[in-house]
Amino acid sequence: MGARMRWSQYFIPTTKEVPTEAVVPSHQLMIRAGMIRQIAAGAYAYLPLGYRVLQKVTEIVREEMNRAGAIELHMPAMHPVELWQESGRVQTMGDTLIHLPDQPWRRGTVLGPTHEEIITEIARAYINSYKQLPVTLYQIQTKFRDEQRPKSGVLRTREFLMKDAYSFDLNQAGLDVSYQKMYDAYCRIYQRSGLPYVAVEAESGAMGGHASAQFMVATDAGEDYMVRSDDGSYAANVERAEMAPLEDPGCDDLKPLAEVHTPGHSTIEQVSQFLGCRAQDLIKTIIYQADGKPLVALVRGDHTVHEGKLAAFAGVARVEPADPDLIRQVTGAEVGFAGPVGLEARVIADQAVTLMHNAATGANKTDYHVTGVNPGRDFQITESADIRYAVEGDRAPNGSPLRFEKCIEVGHVFKLGTKYTESMKAHVLDENGKSVPMIMGCYGIGVNRIVAAAIEARHDENGICWPMSIAPFQVLIVALDVRDESVRATATWLHDELESRGVEVLLDDRDARPGFKFKDADLIGVPVRITVGKRGLAEGVVEVKKRTEDEVLRVAPDEAVARLLPLIEAERS
Ligand code: ATP
Ligand code: MG
């Protein structure tokens, strides 16, 4: 009786106003349902109801990590900055890395945004032979990132819970196996959490390296975009998406090349307006600097250069926009009038440019453009490739149309390689006694994001619709007419009976109007509601209703228990 979970012990502020700068549904619902409370920008308290959900997700993550053979440990959140200098990431992390102010007794401390450096430090201390490999270690721990504008509730905060895992292998084949195990475990985690996820090919980002996948949940609350092909065979982060080559529309009326005076008109918008043509009729000419030399990229006026693709094709580490001096030197004109005709530099054209006819572009002469430009006739294209971002209307490499969707990233698996084990010298002796750097993979899941993404994916106009597996409670008992002795007795009997069978039950025994209590029940989203009322009991029944169904089952209290137990067991995980 003492352990009975009563509504009044939870902080469910049904009528609380929601701060308006937070616009995503999960944030509003989490506050209204008493799951979280903002303590500072980007930092939330998980109230008892919210914490139950967070713990459920944590437990699913832990179970699946263990099932995949990963081993749990725990690393500190405070790191010596020296480890981050050793890996070179103090620079690349920039403002995201939180530095604690130096004190006479403590210097150079940062708060961990992720733990590659720390795990590598541990690995180099304890792993020295190939016989200890493979091994995958993980932790579930608070991360700190000074995100500039945390604005989507717990989807992006400065302090958040992450499960991060790191695999160590002797060779690439071993890494492939370790990676696949984590990939499969992630799929099970999202499936068990009731998340409709999509695994997409991903850009590697600040970590450097090759194969990586992101796990996305499609939602308007997201800040990322993914593209998916209609036939379902291709999915990628828009940062990474590859497209089928465009087809040549053909043209049998090639215009002569002509110079046009375009004083002060240099942007795509200004020039297309001035010349009365579409943005896609212009050739955008962008001068970069790579390895100290100019590199010119050509894309259609309505396309955007993908600097990663450009650098990869050009065979350089990275490209940087040229400064005005270099642009003047290369084009002989002010900034904004560059074009490929007569240009002396290495030029890489996007595939779409090779199909353009009668285009307009800069004349390499201040205040002038040229029209009637035809590649092949007016300038030669010696290097062309896919060097742009995908846009609406593009097709996947297999030709199926691509759809763009907003999404939120709930996890990331990544074949890191030897980036950290080389820079931090985490070597092992291989079978031949040779010292080689271990090969790493890293795998991150945002635990809070799973909670919020589950709400984004499963709510209606009345509130949250939890899947059984991560619901804060599996059953909510709503006692109406609480002053009635038989109602109180039946409601508490149901509570205790279900609880003794391992069901998590919340009892709403507040003295309030039925409509009010039903509204709150819908808001907090417990999957099954049992209503105990005077009128029903007079007929010997209580009412059982699922959150997502309209149907109401009227059965005797013991019958309700008998029917619910198998249902809850089946849906629990
Ligand atoms: P994003 O692009 O959304 O900032 P990220 O690429 O920085 O994410 P990772 O470094 O791969 O993310 O971190 C692993 C996981 O941690 C992410 O997949 C995400 O689920 C979660 N995560 C990252 N940043 C945050 C944050 N600020 N708040 C909550 N969860 C986060
Ligand atoms: Mg980030």
Side-chain angles (χ1 to χ4, degrees), residues 113-114 145 147 153-163 190 207 214-215 223-224 408-412 443-450:
T114 172
R145 295 184 182 181
E147 304 277 4
V154 304
L155 287 170
R156 184 176 299 286
T157 51
R158 299 200 170 114
E159 180 183 328
F160 60 97
L161 207 55
M162 195 203 288
K163 185 289 300 170
Y190 302 125
M207 304 216 171
Q214 283 169 327
F215 295 87
E223 295 171 359
D224 278 333
I408 180 89
E409 176 195 323
V410 287
H412 194 178
Y443 317 93
I445 269 194
V447 182
N448 319 75
R449 259 193 207 176
I450 292 185

Side-chain angles (χ1 to χ4, degrees), residues 23-26 152 155 218-224 406-408 456:
V23 288
V24 306
S26 59
S152 313
L155 287 170
T219 162
D220 281 341
E223 295 171 359
D224 278 333
K406 260 187 138 179
C407 59
I408 180 89
E456 291 291 337

Side-chain angles (χ1 to χ4, degrees), residues 227-494:
V227 296
R228 277 201 276 177
S229 65
D230 268 1
D231 67 1
S233 68
Y234 184 77
N237 187 320
V238 73
E239 291 290 320
R240 161 68 212 258
E242 286 168 12
M243 308 77 89
L246 298 183
E247 277 163 33
D248 191 346
C251 174
D252 38 38
D253 179 22
L254 296 192
K255 300 262 181 343
L257 191 66
E259 202 174 77
V260 191
H261 191 211
T262 52
H265 294 74
S266 60
T267 67
I268 293 291
E269 208 182 15
Q270 291 166 341
V271 176
S272 59
Q273 218 165 47
F274 187 80
L275 297 177
C277 63
R278 303 166 305 173
Q280 68 199 69
D281 299 323
L282 299 181
I283 301 174
K284 215 191 300 190
T285 307
I286 301 179
I287 322 276
Y288 287 97
Q289 196 168 330
D291 292 345
K293 279 183 258 163
L295 176 68
V296 180
L298 305 181
V299 290
R300 231 167 61 180
D302 58 331
H303 289 156
T304 306
V305 176
H306 189 304
E307 294 178 358
K309 289 182 182 178
L310 176 66
F313 179 79
V316 296
R318 61 198 194 108
V319 297
E320 279 174 281
D323 53 39
D325 277 346
L326 182 64
I327 295 176
R328 274 185 224 111
Q329 197 186 312
V330 172
T331 65
E334 282 305 318
V335 175
F337 299 95
V341 181
L343 203 64
E344 298 281 336
R346 181 176 179 193
V347 177
I348 299 175
D350 182 64
Q351 186 266 339
V353 172
T354 65
L355 313 174
M356 292 176 76
H357 307 284
N358 299 330
T361 190
N364 299 318
K365 184 170 160 188
T366 304
D367 287 342
Y368 283 89
H369 279 76
V370 279
T371 59
V373 177
N374 287 283
R377 185 193 70 185
D378 303 315
F379 70 100
Q380 299 305 318
I381 295 177
T382 53
E383 294 184 273
S384 82
D386 165 11
I387 57 162
R388 65 176 174 93
Y389 284 94
V391 294
E392 305 269 0
D394 271 320
R395 289 167 185 277
N398 74 352
S400 175
L402 286 177
R403 303 277 169 240
F404 282 64
E405 275 171 292
K406 260 187 138 179
C407 59
I408 180 89
E409 176 195 323
V410 287
H412 194 178
V413 293
F414 189 60
K415 290 184 185 173
L416 254 181
T418 54
K419 180 175 154 85
Y420 298 94
T421 51
E422 258 175 41
S423 65
M424 296 181 63
K425 303 203 175 44
H427 287 226
V428 289
L429 295 180
D430 69 9
E431 295 97 322
N432 306 315
K434 191 172 148 230
S435 174
V436 293
M438 289 181 272
I439 300 187
M440 279 176 76
C442 67
Y443 317 93
I445 269 194
V447 182
N448 319 75
R449 259 193 207 176
I450 292 185
V451 174
I455 299 175
E456 291 291 337
R458 291 165 169 263
H459 68 272
D460 60 17
E461 63 283 6
N462 299 320
I464 305 169
C465 305
W466 289 116
M468 196 66 84
S469 55
I470 62 171
F473 293 95
Q474 292 149 354
V475 174
L476 169 66
I477 298 173
V478 178
L480 307 179
D481 324 298
V482 285
R483 281 171 245 178
D484 183 279
E485 179 52 38
S486 66
V487 167
R488 278 213 308 277
T490 306
T492 49
W493 178 83
L494 272 171

Side-chain angles (χ1 to χ4, degrees), residues 475 498 503 528 530 544 559-569:
V475 174
L498 283 167
V503 178
V528 177
I530 307 180
V544 180
E559 172 81 12
V561 173
R563 294 228 198 169
L564 279 179
L565 287 177
L567 185 139
I568 288 165
E569 200 45 52

